[in-house]
Amino acid sequence: MTKTLFRTVCFAALLGAGLMASASAGRAADIKVGEINSYSALPAFTEPYRKGWQLAVEEVNANGGINGDKLVVISKDDGGKPGAAITAANELVSRDGVALITGGFLSNVGLAIADFAKQKRVVFVAGEPLTDAMIWSKGNDYTFRLRPSNYMQAAMLAEEAAKLPAKRWATVAPNYEYGQSAVAVFKELLKKARPDVEFVAEQWPPLGKIDGGAVAQALAAANPEAILNVEFGADLVQFVREGTTRGLFKDRSVVSFLTGEPEYLEPLKGEAPEGWIVTGYPWYSIDTPEHNAFKKAYEDKYGEHPYLGSVAGYIELKTVAEILRKAKSTEAEDLIAAAKGLKVDTPFGEITIRAIDHQSTFGSFVGKTAVKDGKGVMVDFTYKDGADYLPSDEEVKKLRPQG
Amino acid sequence: MSLYVVQFLTGLANAASLFLAACGLSVIFGVTRIVNFAHGAFYMLGAYVAFSLTLRLEGVVGFWAGIFLAAIIVAAIGALLEMLLLRRIYQAPELFQLLATFGVTLMVQDIVHMIWGAQDLVGPRAPGLQGAVQVMGLPVPTYDILLIILGPLVLGALWLLMHRTRWGVLVRAATEDRDMVAALGVNQKWLFTGVFTLGIFLAAFGGALQIPRTAVNHLMDLSIIAEVFVVVVIGGLGSITGAFLAAVLIAELNAFGILVLPGISLVLMFLVMAVVLVLRPWGFLGKPVSTDAKTIGETTRPWHPWSPTMAVLVAASVLLAAALPAVLGPYGLSIGAQILIAVIFAMSLQFQMSTGGLDSFGHAAYFGLGAYGAAFAIQWFQLPMELALIVGPLAGLVGALVFGWFCVRLSGVYFAMLTLAFAQITWSIAFQWVEVTGGDNGILGVWPSEWASSPAAFYWLTLAAAVLTVLILRHLVFSPFGYRLRGVRDSSVRAESIGISRQRTQYVAFAISGTAAGLAGALFAFLKGSIFPDALAIPTSIDALVMVLLGGVATVSGSVVGAIVYTMATIWLMSETDLSRLVLGGFIVFLVVAFPQGIVGSLSSFTSGSLERWRGRREASRPVALSAEASR
């Protein structure tokens, strides 16, 4: 009797308290934008990212805001879980009444929000998720994506890989969708450019649980001339250490996704591999007026150098502001119309948001790794404009659901 | 040939790291029966502390001093934790300590972030051991050689400690029969503290030794915890030598497995565990656990169905919940629906755990199967939501029938670990079979039918499902089947002697539980509009466990309250603070200390008659006598 009474009271009290807490109203009169990212799950990437977009918001508001209105960003954590991201997106849209949603780091979180955006007819400007499905096979009218996709990075690396004499290739990639599609696209594009190459070995260690020694040894046993690496984070560190000690990289070319990003290269310090062909962000040696201005503002504000995440966050909110300015409205249809074909000035130069598939032409730096003063750096790099590494319009139309 | 030798050595080195991380857990479980979820957290702490120390202390001596000092510092923290927190809850129902250590793990994650920052940290390599030696013409890192030697050394040292010292004799005696050791006048308190400290020392030492191999990072704790449980269980709980053999088996199978089947690492460990547990239910060197653990029936007053007054009150609260759409907006209602889904999920586990006495660590499997079942029904067969909501629970049922057939042959922690193995195998299929499940990118576009698409309509749908599930499961508890199930739980020997088959009864309960979890999963897919493998992953199973333990494992449906409190707390904290894990972990630890029987369990025993309270106190102050009686 009393047990159930208490249960009932608890039920009512807790439900009431929680829902009241969630019903408090948001601010008025500002232009509100919702932002979601994996802050608690992936702080190494999302902290620089947050600093980047906060800088952009500050600059936007210092320069007249959105046609005179103040830009306000409401930021939520998704804990690295798609389900939690949907809860956050719901809160932002239903309760806070944001004009659009932006953010995302993990591909699955990005896809979940993109599908939510389609269902609820809200615009979603994805910053960092890399999966090609986002704009192609699962693309929708409401979703835009900024960073160079898996396909684009693979195309940039395959172009460099085709120039190498190597014919026998081995691959190592984390065993999930990102790693699998990176390897698949790279293979396809390299084979197209160089029909004479063959892939002699592949390794698929689980994400975050690579068995570095065994993987390195297994790759070496196939005796490839070149290796494609898609490992990152702690897995990359272990792979590099074991591979170096076991002489895996001696006299072999290595082509590697993302390794040039300071997020991944910096922790390796003096143990950074040398001569790998990588995509990345050499913030220390880019010398363009746009980038210098960004770097100075960032360093002045935070007292540390920018990471690639910082640039992504900065460009993300700059783009969002431009969309809102151009649309002069917060209706989804107007925002979509404004975003299509929009040109935005960024620290990497001008980017365009393609009308055909909602992918931006944000590019990437491709260069070689080296060790300088006990630090891993990128040298001999060039900036590859994203526009040059996307398939033709006919192919895109086939890849993306039309109508 | 030389490749195989080198690969074998690499496997041995990995086995040594695995063993060092795992043996502490085995020692702790053997004596204290605590399922120490925080083991991974201490492993990670060991690595972080060692990172900081080895940066400051230089040279060979400095490096090794740093490693040992780190393990000692972390062990001291572990001892403090045992004295301040765990000592208070040894009398709580089994597994409750799991909840406490889970809370600690959450807190450690945020604390590590605050102290060491967000970036991955790469520590120094061991001085003098950076290079490689040639073995049959192929290089083997010298650090690997060191690990290969260190593993058996630690094993030997532990063996000496256990067999040649008085303390070790007491520890082994306590592993065999805790109550007898206590009856002989050994101070259990200090024995437990000592064992826990030793276990944590080993965990931290294992973590610290990883510095020269990999980056110190935030995910170390969760990535190691499942592995060490697997190693300990395959080896046989409480057996250190068994853990060593298990580590060697797994590491070698992995080292050679990837030569043949490169994608094998993901499932290998859990496949091995499933096979070993099916063939040898107590692991390599484990002994059948004498069921001296108190069962729920012995520690609680008999359950009663609701009285008519109660039924009216429950009906009133359901009506109140049904009226919520009048006051709540779309966001509040979607949260309400999520809470109600959690209620179904938690109730499904509670039926299995509290009534059936079957503690599951892999309940996510049936939740995920339900969700994927519903998603497949929509995506492939274009079925409407109404049918998909039937397909989902059926998928959960089928999964439970298949896995349960193996699981109910076991009991206790071995049962729990086999459920975990099956959940992990299911997860890796969803994660890896991209053509069918979409892999990590999941299945999108699982939205409700038109009539249920408004937040209020979907809320009512979940409310109806939740009320029905709770009522049906409660009805089952008090049905003849429920009495059989509780009889089996409290004394399988007596139950079997009057003709009740333990396995068949528990198998049916397992299937019912899986079906209900499948319903929760199917509703979850429609609530979120998409489904991803993370619904099948370990954290989902842990969520369910936490909700049941929080509500009170010795109650019929306390998990309803546990689910409401826990789900609300997580959502609210995620939305409001960046330190959600620190706050949530602290909150759980607080609840554990304040309500050692779970929220509902503690409240109901608090409000029960003074006679019973007095009896309860007397029992608590004489745990030995009670246990002795119980194990008779």
Side-chain angles (χ1 to χ4, degrees), chain A residues 4 11 47 87 115 175 211 241, chain B residues 14 113 123 310 432 445 528:
Chain A
T4 322
F11 186 99
E47 281 183 5
T87 308
D115 198 48
N175 198 356
D211 183 350
R241 277 188 160 173
Chain B
N14 288 327
H113 181 190
M310 239 343 77
Q432 216 162 350
K528 299 296 178 187

Side-chain angles (χ1 to χ4, degrees), chain A residues 254-293:
Chain A
V254 180
V255 171
S256 185
F257 278 74
L258 311 181
T259 311
E261 296 179 6
E263 281 90 334
Y264 304 116
L265 198 55
E266 211 166 64
L268 280 161
K269 292 183 272 193
E271 292 178 54
E274 297 194 62
W276 286 21
I277 298 168
V278 297
T279 57
Y281 170 45
W283 56 272
Y284 28 81
S285 21
I286 302 171
D287 190 18
T288 62
E290 310 90 89
H291 186 263
N292 288 341

Side-chain angles (χ1 to χ4, degrees), chain B residues 72-151:
Chain B
I72 290 168
I73 292 172
V74 176
I77 299 173
L80 219 59
L81 177 79
E82 199 275 342
M83 290 192 278
L84 295 179
L85 175 62
L86 297 179
R87 261 188 200 180
R88 296 172 188 278
I89 53 171
Y90 280 123
Q91 299 307 327
E94 230 191 333
L95 279 188
F96 205 65
Q97 299 87 1
L98 174 96
L99 185 59
T101 50
F102 172 68
V104 171
T105 305
L106 287 178
M107 290 169 78
V108 168
Q109 287 178 337
D110 268 348
I111 291 170
V112 160
H113 181 190
M114 286 194 287
I115 298 178
W116 283 280
Q119 305 287 333
D120 288 359
L121 303 171
V122 178
R125 306 188 73 159
L129 297 171
Q130 293 102 328
V133 288
Q134 298 289 319
V135 174
M136 301 179 73
L138 286 175
V140 174
T142 36
Y143 193 73
D144 278 12
I145 307 273
L146 176 85
L147 286 178
I148 293 173
I149 299 168
L150 204 57

Side-chain angles (χ1 to χ4, degrees), chain A residues 119 121, chain B residues 384-386 447-458 526:
Chain A
Q119 177 76 5
R121 299 173 191 280
Chain B
M385 180 189 79
E386 297 76 37
W447 296 101
S449 299
E450 201 54 43
W451 64 269
S453 62
S454 81
F458 195 78
F526 283 106

Side-chain angles (χ1 to χ4, degrees), chain B residues 227-277:
Chain B
E227 298 188 9
V228 295
F229 271 115
V230 170
V231 168
V232 166
V233 166
I234 295 180
L237 284 165
S239 164
I240 300 167
T241 320
F244 186 79
L245 292 178
V248 171
L249 177 78
I250 288 175
E252 290 300 348
L253 278 177
N254 190 52
F256 288 101
I258 61 167
L259 292 178
V260 189
L261 210 64
I264 191 76
S265 304
L266 200 60
V267 276
L268 183 93
M269 187 171 265
F270 293 96
L271 273 179
V272 172
M273 179 162 81
V275 171
V276 168
L277 286 186

Side-chain angles (χ1 to χ4, degrees), chain A residues 24 74 95 106 117 129 136 151 165 177 191 194 213 309 317 325 355:
Chain A
S24 58
I74 305 172
R95 203 184 95 186
L106 297 170
W136 292 341
Y151 181 94
E177 199 275 344
K191 279 256 185 193
R194 285 277 302 275
L317 257 289
R325 271 181 196 149

Side-chain angles (χ1 to χ4, degrees), chain B residues 53 527 541:
Chain B
L53 290 175
L527 174 70
S541 297

